[in-house]
Amino acid sequence: MKALYHLLLRELDLLLLLSLPTLIMFFLFYSTVQFYPSDERYPVAVLLQWIFDARPLIVFDYNFEKTFTKIIFYILIVMILFDLEKNIVKKTFCIQLSDVFLIPLFITFILYIFTPNGASAGMMSDRYALILFIFLLLWIVSRVKLTWIHPVLIVIAMFTHILLQLKHYNKDLWMLDKHARTLYAISEHIEENSIVLPINFSDHWMEIHFSNYIGCTKPLILLENYESTVNWFPVLLNYANLPNLFLHQRNFITGIEWKHNPDSENK
């Protein structure tokens, strides 16, 4: 057991050494970029439900897709419980090298529960949920030894995944592709270097920035681009040289926003 602990420490030391460049860049980035955090957060009960629903696997329709993603999550749990039970019955249960993944898994879980969703760049609960499942999968696949039950569970998981993908391709992705192609075709009627104010009438969360397809083939200024207004993206608006943009003699309309500089003499 002592030898295993020393082996784990050596592996962790190597992991820390390999992570140093990333950690250094993270520190430099986080110390120089101004964020706009908020205290928006989900209740703990909701965050725990996300885990059981396998939230990172849900893309388009939460209520529909969780029926499938729950099956995949419970298959993972059965795999690890079956492995632990087998080791306990045979009295061979012990800490393995693969259990090193439990350390980042536990740390991520704590951050997932206590970090507000609106912290840092926002959507922190979704980000931590994804990382949580990555470490969970790494731990399971590195620890579980295949037995007669695992191929059965894997087939069920694959079948469930295929059904979910068929729903995605036959409904959601087909519709999104149709709308994206329509926007792409609209660019033929817009002159180069035009200033375009897209207005979103869609209630689909993925179509918020579909207007960017208009600028695929020619240079345009799209006034809905939120990325150019927040500091953690590399290309930012130069507000000092931004003109005061008017739409029919108005630089502001309730419910419709666009980037402009009201202090600019250029109109």
Side-chain angles (χ1 to χ4, degrees):
M1 182 66 70
K2 187 176 181 180
L4 180 59
Y5 282 132
H6 287 298
L7 180 60
L8 285 174
L9 288 176
R10 286 201 299 270
E11 293 292 331
L12 288 173
D13 289 341
L14 178 60
L15 181 61
L16 176 61
L17 181 63
L18 294 173
S19 303
L20 275 179
T22 301
L23 292 173
I24 292 173
M25 287 188 289
F26 169 77
F27 174 78
L28 293 175
F29 173 79
Y30 209 86
S31 61
T32 55
V33 172
Q34 180 183 1
F35 292 90
Y36 307 100
S38 71
D39 292 329
E40 176 213 355
R41 64 171 67 239
Y42 294 103
V44 174
V46 172
L47 296 176
L48 294 177
Q49 187 62 52
W50 278 17
I51 295 176
F52 289 103
D53 292 341
R55 177 67 179 88
L57 302 180
I58 298 174
V59 182
F60 300 109
D61 187 342
Y62 194 108
N63 291 327
F64 177 85
E65 294 180 34
K66 71 178 181 181
T67 305
F68 297 88
T69 57
K70 274 185 176 181
I71 296 174
I72 297 175
F73 173 76
Y74 288 130
I75 286 174
L76 295 175
I77 298 303
V78 169
M79 280 185 175
I80 194 63
L81 289 178
F82 189 86
D83 184 74
L84 294 176
E85 185 271 340
K86 181 183 62 175
N87 283 276
I88 293 173
V89 170
K90 293 183 178 180
K91 297 182 179 180
T92 58
F93 180 78
C94 63
I95 297 177
Q96 301 180 16
L97 184 60
S98 58
D99 291 332
V100 70
F101 288 116
L102 290 175
I103 298 174
L105 179 64
F106 176 75
I107 294 174
T108 305
F109 178 77
I110 297 299
L111 293 172
Y112 172 68
I113 294 297
F114 290 101
T115 303
N117 184 59
S120 188
M123 295 184 66
M124 296 305 296
S125 298
D126 297 86
R127 302 174 198 272
Y128 280 128
L130 176 59
I131 298 173
L132 188 69
F133 268 83
I134 290 175
F135 283 126
L136 177 63
L137 285 171
L138 287 174
W139 179 55
I140 292 175
V141 299
S142 60
R143 180 182 178 92
V144 170
K145 295 179 176 59
L146 292 180
T147 61
W148 65 269
I149 195 173
H150 292 101
V152 177
L153 295 174
I154 291 172
V155 169
I156 296 174
M158 291 180 62
F159 182 72
T160 304
H161 176 72
I162 290 172
L163 290 177
L164 189 58
Q165 291 303 305
L166 287 175
K167 189 266 182 184
H168 286 167
Y169 283 106
N170 292 332
K171 183 180 178 181
D172 300 291
L173 291 178
W174 180 87
M175 178 193 68
L176 292 172
D177 178 71
K178 179 181 178 181
H179 293 174
R181 289 177 180 274
T182 300
L183 284 169
Y184 179 80
I186 289 175
S187 64
E188 298 180 2
H189 306 283
I190 302 176
E191 296 182 1
E192 289 189 2
N193 302 313
S194 297
I195 299 176
V196 181
L197 173 62
I199 301 175
N200 178 37
F201 291 101
S202 171
D203 57 358
H204 197 295
W205 67 274
M206 287 195 68
E207 296 192 351
I208 296 176
H209 304 296
F210 266 30
S211 60
N212 288 268
Y213 287 112
I214 300 174
C216 287
T217 59
K218 62 183 65 176
L220 298 172
I221 298 176
L222 301 178
L223 297 178
E224 65 86 25
N225 184 8
Y226 85 98
E227 294 182 359
S228 62
T229 65
V230 290
N231 295 327
W232 50 87
F233 288 103
V235 179
L236 300 177
L237 278 175
N238 185 346
Y239 278 101
N241 295 325
L242 187 68
N244 191 7
L245 299 176
F246 285 80
L247 179 63
H248 193 57
Q249 299 182 348
R250 299 182 65 177
N251 64 357
F252 175 81
I253 297 176
T254 302
I256 302 176
E257 298 182 2
W258 62 87
K259 313 300 182 298
H260 65 282
N261 181 7
D263 297 325
S264 175
E265 295 181 357
N266 298 322
K267 296 180 173 60

